Amino acid sequence: MLIEARDGTPLAVHDVGGGPGVLCVPGGPGRASAYLENLGGLDDTHTLHLLDSRGSGDSPLPADRGSLAFPRLADDVEDVRVALGLDPADVLGHSAGCPVALLHAARYPDAVRRLVLVTPSGRPFGWAADDLETIRGLRAVEPWYAEVAEAAEIAPTANHGLRRELDRVMRPLWYGRWDERTQAHAASADEQVSLRAAAGYVPGPDYDAGAALASLKDIAASVLVVVGELDALTGVSVADRFVEVLNDATVVVIPGAGHFPWVDQPDAFREAVATFLD
């Protein structure tokens, strides 16, 4: 279905499953919500309202490219929530979708009942994960590790084009295992990511990370932070930082999972999230 945002931009929402609704905000940034799939079978008990953020998936690029910045995307979540009649809503964000979901919950505290943050990024709030090197080291026994480690060393200073190629090499670090299932999921990113939406996600110079962090104290919802034990993209320790600033937050660490825990460990992920939502 298409829902019109307050500025007239159409937003695509794909419904999967049945039961109480969960509004799902994808990451990427700029990745179509299709990569969320059915969130490890969560659709057995819940209706997943998978939002294609503006400029990604079936949601067209807006006339105002400045509206692609993640602080602005929080208002799109509210417009979709109202249109779907979720009052209040249960919201799930993944990775780069977590800052969007958090700012939405802070801006509209009465609109969100429960909030699930899956492998969230702390960078938009002023901190970076401090355990990535340690987590990567846990994979040193893997046959692909030497090539991936070399790519990771080069990537920070690489130009944009080379960085995209190096990111493909580093994809095994996205997951807790690297097999046919995870390789197929990783490859789907090539067709699902909108480069314009990804580039527009970063806010302008007027964005204040400190103020955004302080606003999280306004969140009234209960929050579940789900991280993967082997997540070498956003790490595990980031969860503790969110617990420090949120009023009501708990953490679940999924053993053997990476940045996409519903792919690596679908049963454990589904059980953790369904238990929290129910």
Side-chain angles (χ1 to χ4, degrees):
M1 78 180 77
L2 289 177
I3 292 172
E4 189 173 289
R6 63 190 65 183
D7 66 352
T9 300
L11 302 171
V13 179
H14 309 275
D15 288 351
V16 178
V22 181
L23 178 51
C24 302
V25 185
R31 190 167 180 179
S33 63
Y35 83 95
L36 296 173
E37 302 172 332
N38 66 353
L39 289 174
L42 189 62
D43 64 327
D44 286 345
T45 54
H46 293 79
T47 299
L48 308 179
H49 303 290
L50 305 177
L51 168 64
D52 284 341
S53 298
R54 57 175 58 209
S56 67
D58 293 328
S59 296
L61 282 165
D64 176 12
R65 299 300 168 84
S67 68
L68 294 167
F70 78 83
R72 169 61 184 80
L73 298 182
D75 289 332
D76 287 346
V77 175
E78 178 63 6
D79 294 342
V80 170
R81 180 197 71 82
V82 171
L84 293 176
L86 303 175
D87 189 23
D90 291 338
V91 179
L92 180 148
H94 173 246
S95 190
C98 292
V100 178
L102 282 163
L103 290 185
H104 168 257
R107 201 172 292 169
Y108 305 97
D110 294 333
V112 183
R113 175 174 48 193
R114 288 180 287 251
L115 176 59
V116 181
L117 305 176
V118 183
T119 59
S121 171
R123 287 186 179 275
F125 301 104
W127 70 75
D130 57 8
D131 54 354
L132 299 186
E133 186 174 343
T134 299
I135 293 172
R136 289 172 181 168
L138 298 175
R139 318 300 296 282
V141 298
E142 301 284 358
W144 44 259
Y145 182 78
E147 182 183 20
V148 168
E150 183 179 12
E153 183 178 352
I154 299 170
T157 58
N159 62 42
H160 180 69
L162 177 57
R163 177 57 191 260
R164 288 184 62 197
E165 294 305 315
L166 293 173
D167 283 347
R168 290 189 175 93
V169 175
M170 293 188 290
R171 282 177 178 174
L173 290 175
W174 293 4
Y175 301 89
R177 53 190 171 88
W178 191 237
D179 54 18
E180 185 175 345
R181 163 71 168 121
T182 56
Q183 290 172 31
H185 188 266
S188 68
D190 293 332
E191 301 297 327
Q192 292 172 343
V193 174
S194 163
L195 296 181
R196 289 187 181 274
Y201 176 88
V202 180
D206 59 337
Y207 172 71
D208 186 338
L213 178 61
S215 75
L216 302 187
K217 285 293 186 182
D218 296 328
I219 294 176
S222 297
V223 182
L224 175 68
V225 185
V226 181
V227 292
E229 174 192 29
L230 299 175
D231 183 357
L233 288 184
T234 52
V236 176
S237 63
V238 67
D240 295 330
R241 300 294 298 272
F242 280 113
V243 169
E244 290 173 3
V245 299
L246 294 168
N247 295 312
D248 178 13
T250 57
V251 176
V252 170
V253 180
I254 306 294
H259 195 61
F260 304 89
W262 67 91
V263 178
D264 284 318
Q265 301 292 341
D267 293 343
F269 176 82
R270 180 182 64 252
E271 180 179 357
V273 176
T275 299
F276 172 73
L277 293 176
D278 292 341

